[in-house]
Amino acid sequence: MDTDFVYDGHNDTTEELPLNITTIYLPEYETYTGFKSYMDYRALSNVSSDQYALQLNSYTGDLGIRMYNGRYLVAIGSYFGLNIGDEFDIMLENGTIIPAVMGDLKDDNDTDVNNVYTVKTNCCTEFIIDSSSAATNIFKRYGDVSYAAQDWNSKVVAIQIIN
């Protein structure tokens, strides 16, 4: 893991970030296209799980993606060492930052040797959505959350962990 970058506290967005952020760059694979998958939040059905508890305190945002404290709920692999409810930012190749919360953990059996990318879909981020929301129609048509917002159609290059 490449974790040598430490955030210096300056940001061009209006969100105020803490001083301790660790950036983990994704392993580069030629086959990675930037695809961003999704799953419906109702798939988190184990009522005794942390994922389920987080869903009970979440809401569906304008894009049809589940949110917690203004951050998108996303499943990522164990490579990043996060726990359910941990905050992180998704850094895209075009400079866009997507604020996120760990809403689910990808199963290591479904991911590559580094536990970053889902083997079946070749994605590193799986957004947790409300599939009954009309707002999801645009990206469900293409099968890719990259189409949820114009500036999201770019590869994920790193995950910024908020310590």
Side-chain angles (χ1 to χ4, degrees), residues 74-137:
V74 178
I76 59 174
S78 63
Y79 178 80
F80 304 101
L82 295 173
N83 296 307
I84 302 304
D86 286 350
E87 294 183 353
F88 63 97
D89 290 332
I90 301 168
M91 293 176 57
L92 303 184
E93 191 173 54
N94 66 4
T96 299
I97 304 290
I98 302 172
V101 170
M102 177 91 164
D104 195 16
L105 176 65
K106 291 185 176 196
D107 188 325
D108 284 347
N109 293 322
D110 296 333
T111 58
D112 67 315
V113 67
N114 291 312
N115 300 316
V116 175
Y117 301 96
T118 302
V119 173
K120 190 174 184 178
T121 59
N122 199 23
C123 74
C124 66
T125 54
E126 185 172 3
F127 285 77
I128 301 171
I129 70 165
D130 179 350
S131 61
S132 66
S133 170
T136 63
N137 290 343

Side-chain angles (χ1 to χ4, degrees), residues 7-150:
Y7 184 73
D8 68 359
H10 294 91
N11 190 332
D12 292 335
T13 67
T14 57
E15 182 181 15
E16 193 171 310
L17 297 176
L19 294 177
N20 295 321
I21 292 182
T22 303
T23 300
I24 302 175
Y25 293 91
L26 276 60
E28 294 183 31
Y29 298 150
E30 286 184 29
T31 57
Y32 178 57
T33 63
F35 178 75
K36 298 169 191 71
S37 65
Y38 59 86
M39 63 179 275
D40 190 83
Y41 78 97
R42 292 172 210 42
L44 303 172
S45 57
N46 180 350
V47 296
S48 64
S49 70
D50 292 339
Q51 294 91 321
Y52 188 86
L54 183 62
Q55 286 303 319
L56 292 177
N57 294 304
S58 299
Y59 59 95
T60 301
D62 292 345
L63 299 177
I65 301 169
R66 299 289 288 169
M67 301 189 75
Y68 181 79
N69 287 340
R71 294 179 159 271
Y72 299 98
L73 269 65
V74 178
I76 59 174
S78 63
Y79 178 80
F80 304 101
L82 295 173
N83 296 307
I84 302 304
D86 286 350
E87 294 183 353
F88 63 97
D89 290 332
I90 301 168
M91 293 176 57
L92 303 184
E93 191 173 54
N94 66 4
T96 299
I97 304 290
I98 302 172
V101 170
M102 177 91 164
D104 195 16
L105 176 65
K106 291 185 176 196
D107 188 325
D108 284 347
N109 293 322
D110 296 333
T111 58
D112 67 315
V113 67
N114 291 312
N115 300 316
V116 175
Y117 301 96
T118 302
V119 173
K120 190 174 184 178
T121 59
N122 199 23
C123 74
C124 66
T125 54
E126 185 172 3
F127 285 77
I128 301 171
I129 70 165
D130 179 350
S131 61
S132 66
S133 170
T136 63
N137 290 343
I138 185 69
F139 61 80
K140 285 188 336 189
R141 181 179 320 139
Y142 296 103
D144 188 345
V145 177
S146 297
Y147 295 94
Q150 184 174 347

